[in-house]
Amino acid sequence: MQGQCLQAGIVQKLDKSEKLQQWLKQWPPKKRGYLVVLSDCDQHPQQDWINNDEQVFGTQGTLAVMKFRNRFIPIVNNGRSRFKSYPVKLEQGRLVFQDQKKQVSCLIPKNNFRFEHAPLEQCQNDPELKKLSRWLYALPPEPGEEGLSGLVGIDLDQDGIRDDVQRFIGVIAQDEPAEVKEAINKVAIIGQQELANAYDETTVLALFPQAIASFRCYLHRTKDDRRKYRKLRKEIEAKLYNTYDRLKAKNQINSYFGGMTISRPDDYEAQCNFQNE
C-alpha cells in the first residue's frame, strides 16, 4: 500500500494556469488539498480536490464511484457520463459513498490502482480496514532533510504549523472530530511560535497564556481525558523539537518559566476562544 494514490481524474497541474488559479481562489485554503494515502504519493501528479463536507470537487468535476460488476471504481463526474455514479465525500479521513441500496461504504485502495469497498461500520471498527481505508487530505509535501534546518523549518502553506508537524498531526488525528483537530492545531501553532522566538524571553512569556489555553482547550474537547492529553503533548513535542538546535531552544524556553505559578480556570470551554495571532 506504500505510495497508493487516488488516480481518478488526474489533471496535470499547470502553475501558470490562470483558469486554475481563478477557480481555486473561490475556496478557502483549508478546504483545498490532495487526496493521498502516504508520503510516497507526493511525487505523483495529482488531482486538486476541494472538500465542502458534502462532495469532493476537482477541476474537472465531482469525485464519484461507478459500479462495475461487484466493484466500485472512482471517477470524476463532469455531468456528461451516461453511466450511473454515486457521489463521494470525505468523512473523518475516509472516502464514503452511498449506493442504490442506501448502503454506506468506504473506498479502500488496493495494489495496481485498484479499489475495494466495505461497509463504513467495518472500516471504522475492523483494525486492518481502519488502517487501509484512511486518506490524508490537504497536507503539504514531506519537507525531507530541508525541513530539519533551522528552528522554523518549512511551512509552505503558511498556516503557522511546520509542514512535517502538520503531516504528523494529519495522521494521528484522522479519526478525531473537527473540534478536536482544531484544538490540536492550536497547540502546534503556539508551540511553533514559541520555537521561532525561543531566544526572545519577552515574546515567549507573552505567548504563555495562549500556550496554556491551547492545551486546556484540547483537554476540554477530549472530555478531560488526561491520559490522552499527556500522550498527545509528548508526541507533538517530540516532533516539534526533533533536532539538536530545536531541543536546545526548548530548554531555553523552559528556563523562562522557573518559579511561575499557574491558576486553574473555572471554565475550560472558554479556553478555546483565544485567537492565534
Side-chain angles (χ1 to χ4, degrees):
M1 300 311 300
Q2 292 285 333
Q4 182 72 49
C5 304
L6 184 66
Q7 294 290 310
I10 287 179
V11 172
Q12 294 286 346
K13 186 172 72 172
L14 302 176
D15 292 335
K16 296 181 180 179
S17 169
E18 193 172 315
K19 182 178 179 182
L20 176 61
Q21 293 302 320
Q22 289 176 349
W23 186 80
L24 288 174
K25 283 180 181 178
Q26 64 184 305
W27 302 96
K30 290 183 179 179
K31 295 282 188 178
R32 297 206 301 260
Y34 300 114
L35 285 176
V36 303
V37 180
L38 295 168
S39 61
D40 294 19
C41 291
D42 292 335
Q43 299 176 8
H44 288 243
Q46 292 160 25
Q47 169 74 49
D48 283 319
W49 299 106
I50 305 295
N51 173 40
N52 73 346
D53 301 325
E54 291 298 327
Q55 288 182 298
V56 181
F57 294 86
T59 55
Q60 302 298 303
T62 59
L63 183 62
V65 291
M66 180 180 70
K67 189 172 184 180
F68 178 73
R69 296 177 182 172
N70 293 323
R71 293 193 295 124
F72 286 90
I73 303 170
I75 64 169
V76 173
N77 187 353
N78 58 16
R80 294 193 292 269
S81 174
R82 56 190 177 87
F83 297 102
K84 175 71 174 176
S85 63
Y86 307 93
V88 171
K89 67 177 181 177
L90 186 71
E91 188 174 289
Q92 290 193 338
R94 287 174 177 82
L95 292 173
V96 174
F97 65 93
Q98 187 178 73
D99 63 20
Q100 72 275 20
K101 296 180 180 179
K102 305 301 181 183
Q103 169 72 51
V104 180
S105 301
C106 66
L107 196 62
I108 305 168
K110 301 295 287 184
N111 291 327
N112 301 320
F113 303 114
R114 293 169 64 90
F115 297 83
E116 292 187 352
H117 67 283
L120 179 58
E121 186 175 345
Q122 279 186 245
C123 294
Q124 292 172 327
N125 298 315
D126 180 272
E128 185 66 15
L129 286 182
K130 189 173 183 179
K131 178 181 178 181
L132 293 177
S133 62
R134 286 174 172 167
W135 294 83
L136 302 182
Y137 177 73
L139 298 181
E142 173 60 50
E145 291 297 320
E146 190 179 357
L148 296 175
S149 62
L151 296 182
V152 297
I154 305 296
D155 181 15
L156 287 179
D157 56 4
Q158 298 293 300
D159 67 343
I161 306 175
R162 208 171 68 220
D163 288 349
D164 59 320
V165 177
Q166 185 180 351
R167 290 179 62 83
F168 176 73
I169 292 173
V171 173
I172 66 171
Q174 282 188 65
D175 295 320
E176 298 288 355
E179 62 270 16
V180 173
K181 290 181 183 178
E182 181 187 30
I184 294 174
N185 284 334
K186 283 187 173 184
V187 169
I189 288 171
I190 297 301
Q192 181 66 24
Q193 290 177 355
E194 287 182 328
L195 182 56
N197 296 280
Y199 297 97
D200 182 344
E201 181 176 3
T202 301
T203 299
V204 171
L205 291 177
L207 287 168
F208 184 68
Q210 295 180 52
I212 293 298
S214 67
F215 276 109
R216 285 171 173 167
C217 175
Y218 172 79
L219 193 58
H220 167 72
R221 290 183 174 174
T222 53
K223 310 276 192 262
D224 203 25
D225 187 339
R226 294 185 179 274
R227 182 191 63 81
K228 192 172 183 179
Y229 161 84
R230 286 191 292 270
K231 182 174 183 292
L232 173 89
R233 184 163 190 165
K234 185 179 295 185
E235 288 178 336
I236 289 184
E237 287 190 350
K239 193 67 180 177
L240 196 61
Y241 305 106
N242 60 347
T243 68
Y244 173 78
D245 287 340
R246 290 167 185 170
L247 278 172
K248 186 178 177 182
K250 172 63 174 173
N251 291 333
Q252 183 66 37
I253 292 169
N254 289 339
S255 71
Y256 302 144
F257 305 134
M260 185 177 293
T261 58
I262 304 172
S263 59
R264 185 185 180 97
D266 296 326
D267 184 1
Y268 267 60
E269 183 176 4
Q271 300 294 297
C272 297
N273 296 332
F274 80 92
Q275 296 294 318
N276 298 131
E277 300 298 332

PDB file of all heavy atoms in Angstrom, residues 125-149:
ATOM      1  N   ASN A 125     -14.327   0.037  12.540  1.00  0.00           N
ATOM      2  CA  ASN A 125     -14.123  -0.842  13.690  1.00  0.00           C
ATOM      3  C   ASN A 125     -13.110  -1.966  13.478  1.00  0.00           C
ATOM      4  O   ASN A 125     -12.464  -2.397  14.423  1.00  0.00           O
ATOM      5  CB  ASN A 125     -15.465  -1.452  14.125  1.00  0.00           C
ATOM      6  CG  ASN A 125     -16.455  -0.394  14.573  1.00  0.00           C
ATOM      7  OD1 ASN A 125     -16.104   0.509  15.322  1.00  0.00           O
ATOM      8  ND2 ASN A 125     -17.687  -0.494  14.109  1.00  0.00           N
ATOM      9  N   ASP A 126     -12.992  -2.476  12.263  1.00  0.00           N
ATOM     10  CA  ASP A 126     -12.026  -3.534  11.994  1.00  0.00           C
ATOM     11  C   ASP A 126     -10.618  -2.930  11.962  1.00  0.00           C
ATOM     12  O   ASP A 126     -10.354  -2.009  11.183  1.00  0.00           O
ATOM     13  CB  ASP A 126     -12.338  -4.207  10.653  1.00  0.00           C
ATOM     14  CG  ASP A 126     -11.362  -5.321  10.334  1.00  0.00           C
ATOM     15  OD1 ASP A 126     -10.308  -5.030   9.738  1.00  0.00           O
ATOM     16  OD2 ASP A 126     -11.662  -6.474  10.684  1.00  0.00           O
ATOM     17  N   PRO A 127      -9.684  -3.407  12.797  1.00  0.00           N
ATOM     18  CA  PRO A 127      -8.349  -2.788  12.892  1.00  0.00           C
ATOM     19  C   PRO A 127      -7.618  -2.681  11.554  1.00  0.00           C
ATOM     20  O   PRO A 127      -7.011  -1.650  11.247  1.00  0.00           O
ATOM     21  CB  PRO A 127      -7.600  -3.715  13.864  1.00  0.00           C
ATOM     22  CG  PRO A 127      -8.673  -4.343  14.682  1.00  0.00           C
ATOM     23  CD  PRO A 127      -9.844  -4.510  13.753  1.00  0.00           C
ATOM     24  N   GLU A 128      -7.675  -3.741  10.730  1.00  0.00           N
ATOM     25  CA  GLU A 128      -6.966  -3.719   9.463  1.00  0.00           C
ATOM     26  C   GLU A 128      -7.618  -2.758   8.477  1.00  0.00           C
ATOM     27  O   GLU A 128      -6.950  -1.942   7.832  1.00  0.00           O
ATOM     28  CB  GLU A 128      -6.915  -5.126   8.863  1.00  0.00           C
ATOM     29  CG  GLU A 128      -6.085  -5.243   7.598  1.00  0.00           C
ATOM     30  CD  GLU A 128      -4.605  -4.988   7.813  1.00  0.00           C
ATOM     31  OE1 GLU A 128      -4.149  -5.003   8.982  1.00  0.00           O
ATOM     32  OE2 GLU A 128      -3.893  -4.771   6.819  1.00  0.00           O
ATOM     33  N   LEU A 129      -8.953  -2.837   8.361  1.00  0.00           N
ATOM     34  CA  LEU A 129      -9.672  -1.951   7.441  1.00  0.00           C
ATOM     35  C   LEU A 129      -9.586  -0.500   7.901  1.00  0.00           C
ATOM     36  O   LEU A 129      -9.554   0.422   7.082  1.00  0.00           O
ATOM     37  CB  LEU A 129     -11.131  -2.371   7.310  1.00  0.00           C
ATOM     38  CG  LEU A 129     -11.402  -3.625   6.482  1.00  0.00           C
ATOM     39  CD1 LEU A 129     -12.894  -3.894   6.410  1.00  0.00           C
ATOM     40  CD2 LEU A 129     -10.830  -3.484   5.077  1.00  0.00           C
ATOM     41  N   LYS A 130      -9.550  -0.301   9.192  1.00  0.00           N
ATOM     42  CA  LYS A 130      -9.454   1.058   9.729  1.00  0.00           C
ATOM     43  C   LYS A 130      -8.178   1.733   9.245  1.00  0.00           C
ATOM     44  O   LYS A 130      -8.169   2.918   8.909  1.00  0.00           O
ATOM     45  CB  LYS A 130      -9.471   0.996  11.263  1.00  0.00           C
ATOM     46  CG  LYS A 130      -9.583   2.349  11.945  1.00  0.00           C
ATOM     47  CD  LYS A 130      -9.760   2.170  13.450  1.00  0.00           C
ATOM     48  CE  LYS A 130      -9.958   3.516  14.125  1.00  0.00           C
ATOM     49  NZ  LYS A 130     -10.167   3.368  15.586  1.00  0.00           N
ATOM     50  N   LYS A 131      -7.114   0.956   9.175  1.00  0.00           N
ATOM     51  CA  LYS A 131      -5.838   1.480   8.700  1.00  0.00           C
ATOM     52  C   LYS A 131      -5.834   1.676   7.186  1.00  0.00           C
ATOM     53  O   LYS A 131      -5.403   2.709   6.672  1.00  0.00           O
ATOM     54  CB  LYS A 131      -4.724   0.520   9.116  1.00  0.00           C
ATOM     55  CG  LYS A 131      -3.340   0.926   8.650  1.00  0.00           C
ATOM     56  CD  LYS A 131      -2.319  -0.103   9.098  1.00  0.00           C
ATOM     57  CE  LYS A 131      -0.926   0.262   8.603  1.00  0.00           C
ATOM     58  NZ  LYS A 131       0.086  -0.750   9.012  1.00  0.00           N
ATOM     59  N   LEU A 132      -6.345   0.690   6.449  1.00  0.00           N
ATOM     60  CA  LEU A 132      -6.283   0.723   4.991  1.00  0.00           C
ATOM     61  C   LEU A 132      -7.218   1.754   4.374  1.00  0.00           C
ATOM     62  O   LEU A 132      -6.975   2.231   3.267  1.00  0.00           O
ATOM     63  CB  LEU A 132      -6.618  -0.665   4.415  1.00  0.00           C
ATOM     64  CG  LEU A 132      -5.618  -1.783   4.693  1.00  0.00           C
ATOM     65  CD1 LEU A 132      -6.125  -3.094   4.134  1.00  0.00           C
ATOM     66  CD2 LEU A 132      -4.256  -1.450   4.100  1.00  0.00           C
ATOM     67  N   SER A 133      -8.309   2.082   5.073  1.00  0.00           N
ATOM     68  CA  SER A 133      -9.314   2.967   4.483  1.00  0.00           C
ATOM     69  C   SER A 133      -9.051   4.439   4.761  1.00  0.00           C
ATOM     70  O   SER A 133      -9.823   5.300   4.365  1.00  0.00           O
ATOM     71  CB  SER A 133     -10.710   2.599   5.002  1.00  0.00           C
ATOM     72  OG  SER A 133     -10.802   2.775   6.405  1.00  0.00           O
ATOM     73  N   ARG A 134      -7.969   4.777   5.439  1.00  0.00           N
ATOM     74  CA  ARG A 134      -7.667   6.168   5.766  1.00  0.00           C
ATOM     75  C   ARG A 134      -7.059   6.901   4.580  1.00  0.00           C
ATOM     76  O   ARG A 134      -6.269   6.353   3.830  1.00  0.00           O
ATOM     77  CB  ARG A 134      -6.700   6.238   6.945  1.00  0.00           C
ATOM     78  CG  ARG A 134      -7.341   5.905   8.280  1.00  0.00           C
ATOM     79  CD  ARG A 134      -6.296   5.851   9.353  1.00  0.00           C
ATOM     80  NE  ARG A 134      -6.903   5.711  10.677  1.00  0.00           N
ATOM     81  CZ  ARG A 134      -6.223   5.385  11.765  1.00  0.00           C
ATOM     82  NH1 ARG A 134      -4.917   5.176  11.686  1.00  0.00           N
ATOM     83  NH2 ARG A 134      -6.818   5.271  12.923  1.00  0.00           N
ATOM     84  N   TRP A 135      -7.431   8.165   4.453  1.00  0.00           N
ATOM     85  CA  TRP A 135      -6.869   9.030   3.417  1.00  0.00           C
ATOM     86  C   TRP A 135      -6.364  10.309   4.062  1.00  0.00           C
ATOM     87  O   TRP A 135      -7.018  10.872   4.942  1.00  0.00           O
ATOM     88  CB  TRP A 135      -7.936   9.392   2.387  1.00  0.00           C
ATOM     89  CG  TRP A 135      -8.406   8.228   1.598  1.00  0.00           C
ATOM     90  CD1 TRP A 135      -9.365   7.324   1.969  1.00  0.00           C
ATOM     91  CD2 TRP A 135      -7.940   7.808   0.323  1.00  0.00           C
ATOM     92  NE1 TRP A 135      -9.516   6.375   1.000  1.00  0.00           N
ATOM     93  CE2 TRP A 135      -8.661   6.648  -0.034  1.00  0.00           C
ATOM     94  CE3 TRP A 135      -6.989   8.310  -0.561  1.00  0.00           C
ATOM     95  CZ2 TRP A 135      -8.460   5.979  -1.222  1.00  0.00           C
ATOM     96  CZ3 TRP A 135      -6.788   7.644  -1.758  1.00  0.00           C
ATOM     97  CH2 TRP A 135      -7.510   6.500  -2.075  1.00  0.00           C
ATOM     98  N   LEU A 136      -5.212  10.785   3.619  1.00  0.00           N
ATOM     99  CA  LEU A 136      -4.719  12.082   4.061  1.00  0.00           C
ATOM    100  C   LEU A 136      -5.322  13.140   3.153  1.00  0.00           C
ATOM    101  O   LEU A 136      -5.478  12.935   1.962  1.00  0.00           O
ATOM    102  CB  LEU A 136      -3.197  12.138   3.989  1.00  0.00           C
ATOM    103  CG  LEU A 136      -2.449  11.079   4.801  1.00  0.00           C
ATOM    104  CD1 LEU A 136      -0.955  11.290   4.674  1.00  0.00           C
ATOM    105  CD2 LEU A 136      -2.876  11.105   6.256  1.00  0.00           C
ATOM    106  N   TYR A 137      -5.617  14.305   3.729  1.00  0.00           N
ATOM    107  CA  TYR A 137      -6.233  15.374   2.938  1.00  0.00           C
ATOM    108  C   TYR A 137      -5.636  16.723   3.315  1.00  0.00           C
ATOM    109  O   TYR A 137      -5.430  17.024   4.487  1.00  0.00           O
ATOM    110  CB  TYR A 137      -7.751  15.410   3.171  1.00  0.00           C
ATOM    111  CG  TYR A 137      -8.423  16.538   2.436  1.00  0.00           C
ATOM    112  CD1 TYR A 137      -8.586  16.474   1.059  1.00  0.00           C
ATOM    113  CD2 TYR A 137      -8.839  17.677   3.099  1.00  0.00           C
ATOM    114  CE1 TYR A 137      -9.170  17.510   0.364  1.00  0.00           C
ATOM    115  CE2 TYR A 137      -9.431  18.725   2.415  1.00  0.00           C
ATOM    116  CZ  TYR A 137      -9.591  18.632   1.051  1.00  0.00           C
ATOM    117  OH  TYR A 137     -10.156  19.667   0.369  1.00  0.00           O
ATOM    118  N   ALA A 138      -5.402  17.526   2.288  1.00  0.00           N
ATOM    119  CA  ALA A 138      -4.951  18.910   2.484  1.00  0.00           C
ATOM    120  C   ALA A 138      -3.654  19.002   3.278  1.00  0.00           C
ATOM    121  O   ALA A 138      -3.491  19.869   4.119  1.00  0.00           O
ATOM    122  CB  ALA A 138      -6.043  19.751   3.154  1.00  0.00           C
ATOM    123  N   LEU A 139      -2.733  18.074   3.022  1.00  0.00           N
ATOM    124  CA  LEU A 139      -1.443  18.113   3.701  1.00  0.00           C
ATOM    125  C   LEU A 139      -0.347  18.527   2.722  1.00  0.00           C
ATOM    126  O   LEU A 139      -0.374  18.139   1.554  1.00  0.00           O
ATOM    127  CB  LEU A 139      -1.114  16.746   4.289  1.00  0.00           C
ATOM    128  CG  LEU A 139      -2.080  16.228   5.353  1.00  0.00           C
ATOM    129  CD1 LEU A 139      -1.611  14.878   5.866  1.00  0.00           C
ATOM    130  CD2 LEU A 139      -2.216  17.214   6.506  1.00  0.00           C
ATOM    131  N   PRO A 140       0.631  19.296   3.195  1.00  0.00           N
ATOM    132  CA  PRO A 140       1.731  19.712   2.317  1.00  0.00           C
ATOM    133  C   PRO A 140       2.682  18.539   2.066  1.00  0.00           C
ATOM    134  O   PRO A 140       2.625  17.527   2.775  1.00  0.00           O
ATOM    135  CB  PRO A 140       2.419  20.807   3.136  1.00  0.00           C
ATOM    136  CG  PRO A 140       2.151  20.418   4.552  1.00  0.00           C
ATOM    137  CD  PRO A 140       0.765  19.827   4.557  1.00  0.00           C
ATOM    138  N   PRO A 141       3.576  18.664   1.086  1.00  0.00           N
ATOM    139  CA  PRO A 141       4.550  17.592   0.821  1.00  0.00           C
ATOM    140  C   PRO A 141       5.498  17.390   1.997  1.00  0.00           C
ATOM    141  O   PRO A 141       5.731  18.300   2.791  1.00  0.00           O
ATOM    142  CB  PRO A 141       5.312  18.101  -0.408  1.00  0.00           C
ATOM    143  CG  PRO A 141       4.440  19.147  -1.008  1.00  0.00           C
ATOM    144  CD  PRO A 141       3.688  19.764   0.133  1.00  0.00           C
ATOM    145  N   GLU A 142       6.026  16.193   2.115  1.00  0.00           N
ATOM    146  CA  GLU A 142       7.052  15.911   3.117  1.00  0.00           C
ATOM    147  C   GLU A 142       8.288  16.775   2.831  1.00  0.00           C
ATOM    148  O   GLU A 142       8.836  16.728   1.732  1.00  0.00           O
ATOM    149  CB  GLU A 142       7.422  14.423   3.056  1.00  0.00           C
ATOM    150  CG  GLU A 142       8.598  14.039   3.927  1.00  0.00           C
ATOM    151  CD  GLU A 142       8.349  14.326   5.394  1.00  0.00           C
ATOM    152  OE1 GLU A 142       7.284  13.923   5.907  1.00  0.00           O
ATOM    153  OE2 GLU A 142       9.225  14.966   6.023  1.00  0.00           O
ATOM    154  N   PRO A 143       8.740  17.603   3.785  1.00  0.00           N
ATOM    155  CA  PRO A 143       9.851  18.529   3.515  1.00  0.00           C
ATOM    156  C   PRO A 143      11.214  17.869   3.434  1.00  0.00           C
ATOM    157  O   PRO A 143      12.164  18.473   2.932  1.00  0.00           O
ATOM    158  CB  PRO A 143       9.783  19.506   4.690  1.00  0.00           C
ATOM    159  CG  PRO A 143       9.129  18.731   5.785  1.00  0.00           C
ATOM    160  CD  PRO A 143       8.149  17.820   5.113  1.00  0.00           C
ATOM    161  N   GLY A 144      11.365  16.638   3.959  1.00  0.00           N
ATOM    162  CA  GLY A 144      12.643  15.943   3.875  1.00  0.00           C
ATOM    163  C   GLY A 144      13.735  16.603   4.705  1.00  0.00           C
ATOM    164  O   GLY A 144      13.464  17.257   5.713  1.00  0.00           O
ATOM    165  N   GLU A 145      14.969  16.457   4.255  1.00  0.00           N
ATOM    166  CA  GLU A 145      16.112  16.982   5.007  1.00  0.00           C
ATOM    167  C   GLU A 145      16.055  18.498   5.161  1.00  0.00           C
ATOM    168  O   GLU A 145      16.500  19.053   6.156  1.00  0.00           O
ATOM    169  CB  GLU A 145      17.418  16.582   4.300  1.00  0.00           C
ATOM    170  CG  GLU A 145      17.737  15.100   4.361  1.00  0.00           C
ATOM    171  CD  GLU A 145      17.968  14.617   5.780  1.00  0.00           C
ATOM    172  OE1 GLU A 145      18.617  15.354   6.559  1.00  0.00           O
ATOM    173  OE2 GLU A 145      17.484  13.523   6.116  1.00  0.00           O
ATOM    174  N   GLU A 146      15.514  19.176   4.167  1.00  0.00           N
ATOM    175  CA  GLU A 146      15.424  20.635   4.221  1.00  0.00           C
ATOM    176  C   GLU A 146      14.597  21.098   5.416  1.00  0.00           C
ATOM    177  O   GLU A 146      14.843  22.164   5.991  1.00  0.00           O
ATOM    178  CB  GLU A 146      14.821  21.165   2.919  1.00  0.00           C
ATOM    179  CG  GLU A 146      14.897  22.675   2.776  1.00  0.00           C
ATOM    180  CD  GLU A 146      14.321  23.164   1.456  1.00  0.00           C
ATOM    181  OE1 GLU A 146      13.923  22.320   0.630  1.00  0.00           O
ATOM    182  OE2 GLU A 146      14.277  24.399   1.260  1.00  0.00           O
ATOM    183  N   GLY A 147      13.617  20.282   5.790  1.00  0.00           N
ATOM    184  CA  GLY A 147      12.757  20.641   6.910  1.00  0.00           C
ATOM    185  C   GLY A 147      13.433  20.536   8.256  1.00  0.00           C
ATOM    186  O   GLY A 147      12.882  20.971   9.269  1.00  0.00           O
ATOM    187  N   LEU A 148      14.627  19.969   8.297  1.00  0.00           N
ATOM    188  CA  LEU A 148      15.358  19.814   9.555  1.00  0.00           C
ATOM    189  C   LEU A 148      16.307  20.975   9.836  1.00  0.00           C
ATOM    190  O   LEU A 148      16.945  21.010  10.883  1.00  0.00           O
ATOM    191  CB  LEU A 148      16.160  18.503   9.530  1.00  0.00           C
ATOM    192  CG  LEU A 148      15.334  17.217   9.445  1.00  0.00           C
ATOM    193  CD1 LEU A 148      16.255  16.008   9.300  1.00  0.00           C
ATOM    194  CD2 LEU A 148      14.431  17.058  10.664  1.00  0.00           C
ATOM    195  N   SER A 149      16.416  21.917   8.918  1.00  0.00           N
ATOM    196  CA  SER A 149      17.351  23.033   9.103  1.00  0.00           C
ATOM    197  C   SER A 149      16.693  24.194   9.837  1.00  0.00           C
ATOM    198  O   SER A 149      15.526  24.505   9.615  1.00  0.00           O
ATOM    199  CB  SER A 149      17.869  23.515   7.743  1.00  0.00           C
ATOM    200  OG  SER A 149      16.809  23.994   6.951  1.00  0.00           O
TER     201      SER A 149
END
